[in-house]
Short mmCIF file of all heavy atoms in Angstrom, two decimals:
data_model
loop_
_atom_site.label_atom_id
_atom_site.label_comp_id
_atom_site.label_asym_id
_atom_site.label_seq_id
_atom_site.Cartn_x
_atom_site.Cartn_y
_atom_site.Cartn_z
N GLY A 28 -6.80 -10.57 0.16
CA GLY A 28 -7.15 -11.51 -0.85
C GLY A 28 -7.63 -12.78 -0.17
O GLY A 28 -7.70 -12.86 1.11
N SER A 34 1.94 -11.06 2.19
CA SER A 34 1.85 -9.77 1.47
C SER A 34 3.19 -9.08 1.49
O SER A 34 3.84 -8.91 2.49
CB SER A 34 0.82 -8.88 2.21
OG SER A 34 -0.44 -9.43 2.13
N PRO A 41 3.25 6.90 -6.74
CA PRO A 41 3.12 8.19 -7.39
C PRO A 41 1.95 9.05 -6.73
O PRO A 41 1.79 10.22 -7.04
CB PRO A 41 2.75 7.83 -8.83
CG PRO A 41 2.15 6.46 -8.72
CD PRO A 41 2.73 5.81 -7.54
N MET A 59 14.91 6.60 6.97
CA MET A 59 15.14 6.38 8.39
C MET A 59 13.87 6.75 9.21
O MET A 59 13.35 7.80 9.02
CB MET A 59 16.39 7.18 8.84
CG MET A 59 16.93 6.79 10.19
SD MET A 59 16.00 7.59 11.54
CE MET A 59 16.47 9.29 11.30
N LEU A 78 26.69 13.35 8.59
CA LEU A 78 26.23 14.63 8.04
C LEU A 78 25.78 15.62 9.12
O LEU A 78 25.21 16.67 8.83
CB LEU A 78 25.05 14.40 7.03
CG LEU A 78 25.33 13.57 5.85
CD1 LEU A 78 24.08 13.30 5.04
CD2 LEU A 78 26.38 14.21 4.98
N CYS A 95 19.63 14.96 6.52
CA CYS A 95 19.77 13.55 6.60
C CYS A 95 19.56 12.91 5.17
O CYS A 95 18.63 13.33 4.46
CB CYS A 95 18.65 12.96 7.48
SG CYS A 95 18.41 11.19 7.34
N GLY A 99 21.61 5.45 6.94
CA GLY A 99 21.46 4.25 7.79
C GLY A 99 22.59 4.00 8.78
O GLY A 99 22.49 3.03 9.54
N CYS A 105 22.56 2.45 16.69
CA CYS A 105 21.54 2.67 17.78
C CYS A 105 21.40 1.39 18.61
O CYS A 105 21.08 0.36 18.02
CB CYS A 105 20.20 3.11 17.19
SG CYS A 105 18.90 3.24 18.40
N ASP A 129 5.95 -20.19 3.12
CA ASP A 129 4.57 -20.22 3.57
C ASP A 129 3.65 -21.04 2.73
O ASP A 129 2.44 -21.04 2.89
CB ASP A 129 4.00 -18.75 3.60
CG ASP A 129 4.69 -17.91 4.68
OD1 ASP A 129 5.20 -18.52 5.58
OD2 ASP A 129 4.62 -16.69 4.56
N PHE A 132 0.67 -23.02 4.13
CA PHE A 132 -0.50 -22.22 4.48
C PHE A 132 -1.36 -21.89 3.30
O PHE A 132 -2.61 -21.88 3.38
CB PHE A 132 -0.10 -20.97 5.23
CG PHE A 132 0.68 -21.20 6.50
CD1 PHE A 132 2.06 -21.13 6.52
CD2 PHE A 132 -0.03 -21.52 7.68
CE1 PHE A 132 2.74 -21.38 7.68
CE2 PHE A 132 0.65 -21.75 8.85
CZ PHE A 132 2.05 -21.72 8.91
N GLN A 150 7.55 -0.47 -9.61
CA GLN A 150 8.72 -1.38 -9.86
C GLN A 150 8.23 -2.50 -10.79
O GLN A 150 8.45 -3.69 -10.54
CB GLN A 150 9.28 -1.86 -8.52
CG GLN A 150 9.71 -0.74 -7.59
CD GLN A 150 10.38 -1.21 -6.35
OE1 GLN A 150 11.51 -1.81 -6.40
NE2 GLN A 150 9.74 -1.01 -5.20
N ALA A 169 -2.05 -12.21 -6.18
CA ALA A 169 -2.97 -11.04 -6.16
C ALA A 169 -2.06 -9.77 -6.22
O ALA A 169 -0.97 -9.75 -5.65
CB ALA A 169 -3.77 -10.99 -4.89
N TYR A 175 -2.66 3.44 -11.08
CA TYR A 175 -2.00 4.61 -11.74
C TYR A 175 -0.74 4.21 -12.44
O TYR A 175 0.33 4.54 -12.03
CB TYR A 175 -1.76 5.69 -10.68
CG TYR A 175 -1.49 7.04 -11.31
CD1 TYR A 175 -2.53 7.81 -11.87
CD2 TYR A 175 -0.23 7.61 -11.35
CE1 TYR A 175 -2.24 8.99 -12.45
CE2 TYR A 175 0.06 8.85 -11.89
CZ TYR A 175 -0.97 9.52 -12.47
OH TYR A 175 -0.76 10.70 -13.09
#
Side-chain angles (χ1 to χ4, degrees):
S34 297
M59 193 276 293
L78 297 177
C95 170
C105 174
D129 292 339
F132 297 99
Q150 301 186 68
Y175 195 74

